[in-house]
Amino acid sequence: MATPTDDAPASDMMSLDITPDMTVDDIDMPTPVANNELVPVESQPNNVETPPGNPETQQPNKRRKKKSIVWEHFTIEPVGAGCRRAYCKQCKQSFAYSTGSKVAGTSHLKRHIAKGGCPVVLRNQERNQSSPFSAPSKVGGYGMGAHTPKRRYRTTAAPYISFDPDRCRNEISRMIIMHDYPLHIVEHPGFVAFVQNLQPRFDMVSFNTVQGDCVATYLREKQSIQKVIEAMPGRVCLTLDMWSSCRTLGYVFLTGHFIDSEWKMHRKLLNVIMEPYPDSDAAFSHAVAACLSDWSMEGKLFSVTINQPLSDAAVDNLRALLSVKNPLMLNGQLLLGNCLARSLSSIAQGALTSVQGTVKKVRDSVKYVKTSESHEEKFLELKQQLQVPSTKNLAIDDQTKWNTTYEMLLAASELKEVFSCLDTSDPDYKDAPSLEDWNQVETLCTYLKPLFETANILTTPTVPTTNTFFHEAWKIQLELARAAASEDPFISSLTKSMQEKFDKYWKSCCFILAIAVVMDPRFKMKLVEFSFSKIYNEDASTYVKIVDDGIHELFREYVALPLPLTPTFIEEANNGTIKAEDPQGGNLLASNGLGLTDFDVYIMETTSHLAISELDQYLEESLLPRVHEFDVVGWWKLNRMKYPTLSKMARDILSVPVSTVPIDSVFDTVGKEMDRYRCSLRPETVEALICAKDWIQSESVDTSTALVKMELPI
């Protein structure tokens, strides 16, 4: 706040009008003089010239120069009798300064310079990326005594950030990608009005512009993913998830699973490919071929996992593609024809349907309690009176997700005593489930529990390794087989269908799951032998031999792979920094394989038997202690020097995915469908929006696990 003029009344001189947005420079404090009278600070003698035309020049010996930095950007000029205004030197705008004895502060002048009000200053700031004004952090002495306390007034105003339209466009595109907003939001009147009021100088982009911005964001993110894939030392495993649409078009979601050079697990959505004829025998194989070509991953494909039953012709096409793109990997046998999440959902949904009458009774009872506040209060009072120890809360289920129905039944069964007595205190409650109904619910929950626990593993943010699911799968297979042979007619009828469905999954995937658990040094072949003896009884040895032969065959194929040349060595050889000439003057490091192809063959032939024994040595060594928190990928990283070939094989096997669906769809009972709006967009735009969202979200999620902490076996 500026100091009043000399002819202002004393009461005015002592008045300090302070507003919350003032800074310390806005307030001119009175200064004591010799006769202990207070006079304005601007009355101190000062021989510095003031701006021309300023009335303050009339008393140069009684007024000092204004010290606020704003006066470097403003001049004070009279505009009438007793009225003066401050003029910006840059844009010539005028602002109130004084009227009679009332003097305005300087906060509004500072805001004009520092907060983007002056267009001239703003243009200079955007060019120089620096603010021309910054309030001083400390106040000068102003002639005050050393012991006179200074009054400081702080402001919480945010620092000035220059307006950047390109940054705004980038944030709009990321907003649309992250939250699945329609691209046309930039043309919606409400959104346009909001942006214009927020920043009038922003020129709102059109649909075509924001579409291009979203694709540009996708391409930037894709470059970083491409670098990770190019540096991938092993192979990639693909999952294929087919989405339907209202236009009878199919959209294949292809997700890559792999372990990078730092032994970290990755799960990246690579492509979303539109298939005009999703029911054709070539739809999946075409999508896989397009993905491999797009990411330059020919020869790096290890396995394929799909989410739905295929015709024999479609399976043959995929196996042929696996054999062509990666001929050494068991001749295309690493094809998982079933998604674990979809299989579990199908089994659970079938079990719930088989007792749908009982489930409906429980659901109606839960709805009766949860849809009325008074009913819920009576229910809780009765629960307290009966002293039921359950801590579960009732919730109406979402019938598109089977886990919500399971949790509803589980909570209701623990509170069955309350439901059984509710009709005594609430005459409006009728049709309570009978004792037989509750027994059926408890039996149903008993056999849904292992399915729920297994599916729940798929919802963890970290990527689980393949060996994890062998433990879950063989237990479910054994438990359902035993239940199907039960003498209890209800248990037998309930679980027989469940066992038949899961048996199809087990036969399709037990081979790759068993190979994966062999790569776990806590179990190796021992768990395979034990579990198969429980499942197959006297035929167990036959199935154990299939796994043993398969893992040895796969290992021999890894041994037969050519020794890779490091990029550094190739670069040095091409630059001529490494040269080796034979006595005849020829260059041994020829361009075709550096002239050492025969030597590589010799090395493989002479060491193949030793390399094969690397697997046998691993299998013959004693098992590691069964530590619950065990990082199997970290163990192979620590032991990669001891098992150089086997560790490469383990890295690929442990990254084989068992599920094709994203985390939020693990419990879905209905297939995924592309919404009507996205079906109207170009396929390239749909792919850019969906893939970019997956990559941006995964930036903040670390899918790696901590390295195992244990001593290396000698």
Side-chain angles (χ1 to χ4, degrees), residues 397-608:
D397 63 326
D398 175 2
Q399 296 185 52
T400 64
K401 292 184 177 294
W402 68 268
N403 63 312
T404 62
T405 305
Y406 164 73
E407 291 171 337
M408 178 192 71
L409 295 175
L410 188 63
S413 65
E414 292 190 7
L415 297 168
K416 62 182 179 180
E417 296 180 22
V418 186
F419 281 107
S420 299
C421 299
L422 184 60
D423 55 355
T424 59
S425 60
D426 189 349
D428 294 332
Y429 175 65
K430 301 176 181 179
D431 298 328
S434 64
L435 180 60
E436 182 181 355
D437 292 332
W438 288 119
N439 290 336
Q440 289 184 0
V441 169
E442 291 178 352
T443 302
L444 177 62
C445 290
T446 298
Y447 293 102
L448 287 180
K449 181 180 179 181
L451 307 184
F452 172 78
E453 291 175 346
T454 301
N456 218 31
I457 298 175
L458 297 170
T459 63
T460 57
T462 56
V463 183
T465 50
T466 316
N467 62 299
T468 305
F469 298 98
F470 180 82
H471 306 277
E472 306 299 324
W474 83 265
K475 291 177 182 178
I476 294 175
Q477 173 72 1
L478 181 62
E479 186 65 24
L480 291 179
R482 288 177 175 175
S486 173
E487 296 180 357
D488 187 314
F490 177 75
I491 295 177
S492 177
S493 61
L494 173 67
T495 57
K496 187 175 181 180
S497 176
M498 298 174 67
Q499 194 272 334
E500 290 175 353
K501 290 182 179 180
F502 193 82
D503 189 58
K504 292 180 181 179
Y505 174 82
W506 174 256
K507 290 179 178 178
S508 170
C509 303
C510 70
F511 177 72
I512 188 63
L513 295 179
I515 290 180
V517 84
V518 172
M519 294 293 99
D520 190 333
R522 298 172 297 171
F523 301 102
K524 302 183 183 179
M525 284 295 298
K526 296 298 183 181
L527 183 60
V528 176
E529 296 168 358
F530 173 78
S531 58
F532 281 14
S533 67
K534 298 288 186 181
I535 296 173
Y536 299 112
N537 299 319
E538 63 274 4
D539 297 330
S541 59
T542 303
Y543 293 98
V544 170
K545 188 176 186 303
I546 293 175
V547 176
D548 187 69
D549 292 345
I551 197 169
H552 278 84
E553 180 184 350
L554 184 61
F555 182 71
R556 284 192 293 270
E557 292 175 355
Y558 271 85
V559 172
L561 293 176
L563 299 178
L565 292 173
T566 61
T568 304
F569 185 76
I570 295 176
E571 182 180 357
E572 290 177 350
N574 292 337
N575 292 337
T577 57
I578 299 179
K579 294 183 179 180
E581 298 182 355
D582 61 6
Q584 307 299 324
N587 189 358
L588 291 178
L589 302 182
S591 59
N592 55 348
L594 304 181
L596 297 177
T597 304
D598 294 339
F599 178 69
D600 289 340
V601 174
Y602 170 76
I603 291 296
M604 287 186 289
E605 290 177 349
T606 57
T607 61
S608 61

Side-chain angles (χ1 to χ4, degrees), residues 15-33:
S15 175
L16 292 177
D17 294 331
I18 302 172
T19 59
D21 61 343
M22 284 186 177
T23 64
V24 69
D25 287 331
D26 298 334
I27 305 171
D28 292 331
M29 300 295 293
T31 307
V33 292

Side-chain angles (χ1 to χ4, degrees), residues 613-673:
S613 67
E614 180 181 316
L615 172 60
D616 294 330
Q617 177 187 353
Y618 165 77
L619 294 176
E620 292 171 1
E621 289 179 346
S622 59
L623 302 179
L624 292 183
R626 291 194 299 275
V627 182
H628 180 65
E629 297 294 334
F630 180 74
D631 177 15
V632 64
V633 175
W635 187 89
W636 280 107
K637 178 182 180 181
L638 295 176
N639 288 271
R640 66 188 183 279
M641 300 303 294
K642 182 177 181 180
Y643 304 111
T645 304
L646 192 59
S647 63
K648 296 176 183 178
M649 187 176 79
R651 177 169 50 198
D652 293 338
I653 291 175
L654 293 173
S655 61
V656 174
V658 298
S659 174
T660 66
V661 300
I663 292 175
D664 59 352
S665 302
V666 168
F667 293 100
D668 286 359
T669 58
V670 294
K672 302 294 290 186
E673 181 177 351

